[in-house]
């Protein structure tokens, strides 16, 4: 078997994912394309949303999940070669709508790839590519005057999510006082073991305790269009809103909606959760004071060199032992559908990483 992937042909759940085994590898069809021999790729809530056809991002079908990829270039087009890319380069690749990573080989546009350390573990690097870079960028957006977070109060909604745990790990390195929201007693127990203060998930149960007291709030759930998180920020503080695509609560929200959403979908055919998410993002970007909005795809497109430097720094932290990415488990391509089922239970602790093998 030269290539293997998992594919879905139309919007659906894990039961619609199919493993393909093929006696060929992709070749560049466009001069800007590269072919990557995959060492590791992520399996995330974002993949679940894309496979089901819900959320603000939309995939084209047939679709292979796996939006963050680590591997080695095995073939490339002429323009990619002129830009300095070479066969044998070790890279990370991110494409939040095309995916393609849960495979043995994948074809990517050169604009979506970046160099990565040749010595870092592939699964760790896959976690860094999106989750930990997003966490790092969120903290940078919340930082004032370049000062460390020592003694500062930082609140993270859905702290158990991959991005939530990444923020906690990075903020702890700077001596911050960290608060998180959690969904149940198991999450509460685990996050408490990391040395953080835990609140129930519902804002009604914690907002009165922290209103106006937080130096930084990182909201990656958008439970109430960021309202409660904004109220928790102090007058000199900062609210950082993320797209929240690694939070299981976004899958639940898109599946079932809120209020009249599900009924409106049935009656008039509107995807109310999608429009609510877009309105919340617009409000965070343009209408709310002391607020910044993080979209990793837009950030990388606007400043790819900054992304490269941030990734390099995070690799240094991992290889020096200062940072240990939280990996839930390492799986093979044949196990991706089961991983989606597990993700949708909300019990996955960390990022699931797919490690393709040549086993037929």
């Amino acid at each position: 078997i030269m290539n293997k992937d998992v594919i879905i042909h139309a919007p659906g759940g894990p039961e619609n994912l199919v493993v393909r085994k093929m006696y060929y590898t992709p070749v560049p069809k466009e001069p800007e394309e590269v072919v990557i021999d995959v060492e590791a790729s992520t399996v995330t809530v974002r993949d679940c949303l894309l496979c089901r056809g819900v959320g603000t991002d939309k995939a084209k079908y047939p679709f292979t999940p796996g939006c963050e990829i680590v591997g080695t270039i095995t073939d490339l087009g002429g323009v990619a070669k002129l830009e300095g890319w070479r066969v044998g380069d070790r890279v990370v690749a991110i494409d939040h709508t095309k995916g393609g990573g849960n495979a043995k080989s994948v074809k990517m546009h050169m604009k979506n790839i970046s160099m990565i350390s040749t010595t870092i573990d592939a699964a760790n690097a896959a976690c860094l590519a999106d989750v930990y870079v997003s966490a790092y960028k969120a903290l940078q957006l919340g930082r004032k005057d370049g000062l460390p977070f020592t003694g500062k109060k930082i609140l993270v909604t859905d702290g158990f999510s991959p991005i939530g745990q990444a923020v906690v790990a990075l903020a702890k390195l700077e001596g911050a006082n960290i608060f998180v929201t959690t969904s149940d007693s198991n999450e509460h127990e685990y996050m408490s073991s990391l040395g953080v203060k835990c609140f129930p998930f519902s804002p009604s149960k914690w907002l009165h305790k922290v209103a106006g007291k937080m130096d930084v709030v990182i909201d990656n759930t958008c439970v109430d269009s960021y309202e409660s998180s904004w109220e928790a920020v102090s007058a000199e503080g900062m609210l950082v809103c993320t797209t929240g695509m690694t939070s299981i609560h976004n899958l639940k929200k898109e599946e079932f909606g809120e209020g009249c959403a599900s009924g409106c979908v049935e009656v008039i055919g509107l995807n109310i959760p999608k429009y609510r998410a877009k309105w919340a993002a617009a409000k965070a970007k343009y209408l709310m004071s002391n607020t910044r909005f993080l979209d990793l795809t837009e950030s990388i497109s606007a400043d790819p060199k900054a992304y490269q430097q941030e990734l390099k720094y995070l690799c240094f932290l991992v290889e020096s032992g200062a940072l240990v990415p939280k990996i839930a488990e390492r799986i093979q391509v044949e196990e991706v559908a089961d991983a989606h089922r597990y993700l949708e239970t909300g019990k996955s602790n960390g990022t699931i990483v797919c490690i393709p093998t040549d086993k037929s």
Side-chain angles (χ1 to χ4, degrees), residues 1-23:
I1 299 299
M2 296 181 66
N3 192 23
K4 179 168 51 178
D5 66 10
V6 61
I7 191 168
I8 189 167
H9 292 277
E15 67 279 3
N16 300 112
L17 287 165
V18 178
V19 175
R20 297 189 301 181
K21 299 178 181 180
M22 300 162 286
Y23 289 91

Side-chain angles (χ1 to χ4, degrees), residues 73-131:
I73 295 177
T74 57
D75 198 359
L76 68 167
V79 172
K81 188 176 294 185
L82 288 174
E83 288 295 317
W85 296 105
R86 293 292 181 267
V87 170
D89 285 347
R90 196 180 195 220
V91 297
V92 296
I94 297 182
D95 192 319
H96 282 162
T97 56
K98 182 181 176 182
N102 296 161
K104 188 69 182 69
S105 296
V106 62
K107 188 164 54 179
M108 279 280 165
H109 194 285
M110 66 180 189
K111 71 178 181 180
N112 295 327
I113 64 175
S114 302
M115 293 291 287
I116 190 72
S117 165
T118 59
T119 54
I120 189 171
D121 172 72
N124 285 336
C127 293
L128 297 183
D130 182 328
V131 169

Side-chain angles (χ1 to χ4, degrees), residues 19-265:
V19 175
R20 297 189 301 181
K21 299 178 181 180
M22 300 162 286
Y23 289 91
Y24 73 92
T25 54
V27 295
K29 291 185 178 180
E30 302 295 335
E32 301 86 3
E33 290 179 335
V34 303
V35 176
I36 300 170
D37 181 54
V38 179
E39 297 176 48
S41 61
T42 56
V43 184
T44 67
V45 170
R46 182 190 301 276
D47 294 316
C48 298
L49 288 165
L50 290 170
C51 285
R52 290 186 176 276
V54 297
T56 54
D57 293 333
K58 298 297 182 183
K60 292 183 179 180
Y61 302 93
F63 170 70
T64 294
C67 296
E68 295 88 45
I69 302 153
V70 177
T72 303
I73 295 177
T74 57
D75 198 359
L76 68 167
V79 172
K81 188 176 294 185
L82 288 174
E83 288 295 317
W85 296 105
R86 293 292 181 267
V87 170
D89 285 347
R90 196 180 195 220
V91 297
V92 296
I94 297 182
D95 192 319
H96 282 162
T97 56
K98 182 181 176 182
N102 296 161
K104 188 69 182 69
S105 296
V106 62
K107 188 164 54 179
M108 279 280 165
H109 194 285
M110 66 180 189
K111 71 178 181 180
N112 295 327
I113 64 175
S114 302
M115 293 291 287
I116 190 72
S117 165
T118 59
T119 54
I120 189 171
D121 172 72
N124 285 336
C127 293
L128 297 183
D130 182 328
V131 169
Y132 281 79
V133 170
S134 293
Y136 181 80
K137 284 181 175 291
L139 286 169
Q140 292 300 98
L141 288 174
R143 193 184 301 275
K144 297 199 67 174
D145 303 321
L147 297 174
F149 288 115
T150 307
K152 298 294 184 180
K153 295 179 180 179
I154 298 177
L155 170 65
V156 187
T157 65
D158 192 16
F160 188 73
S161 67
I163 285 183
Q165 293 200 44
V167 170
V168 168
L170 291 169
K172 284 179 67 177
L173 293 177
E174 299 190 36
N177 294 322
I178 307 168
F179 304 78
V180 301
T181 66
T182 56
S183 298
D184 56 40
S185 59
N186 291 329
E187 291 185 10
H188 185 285
E189 181 179 358
Y190 176 76
M191 295 306 297
S192 294
S193 73
L194 301 181
V196 303
K197 171 70 174 178
C198 298
F199 295 129
F201 186 78
S202 174
S204 64
K205 296 183 179 180
W206 55 260
L207 182 57
H208 64 284
K209 300 178 182 178
V210 302
K213 297 179 181 179
M214 293 290 120
D215 297 298
V216 179
V217 178
I218 297 177
D219 188 323
N220 79 114
T221 54
C222 188
V223 169
D224 53 5
S225 299
Y226 306 118
E227 287 291 341
S228 55
S229 294
W230 185 74
E231 291 183 31
V233 176
S234 68
E236 300 298 321
M238 183 66 68
L239 166 62
V240 180
C241 306
T242 77
T243 54
M245 293 293 282
T246 67
S247 171
I248 185 62
H249 298 284
N250 286 274
L251 176 62
K252 293 176 179 177
K253 195 161 46 180
E254 294 289 353
E255 284 266 59
F256 305 113
E258 296 174 1
C260 72
S262 57
C264 292
V265 171

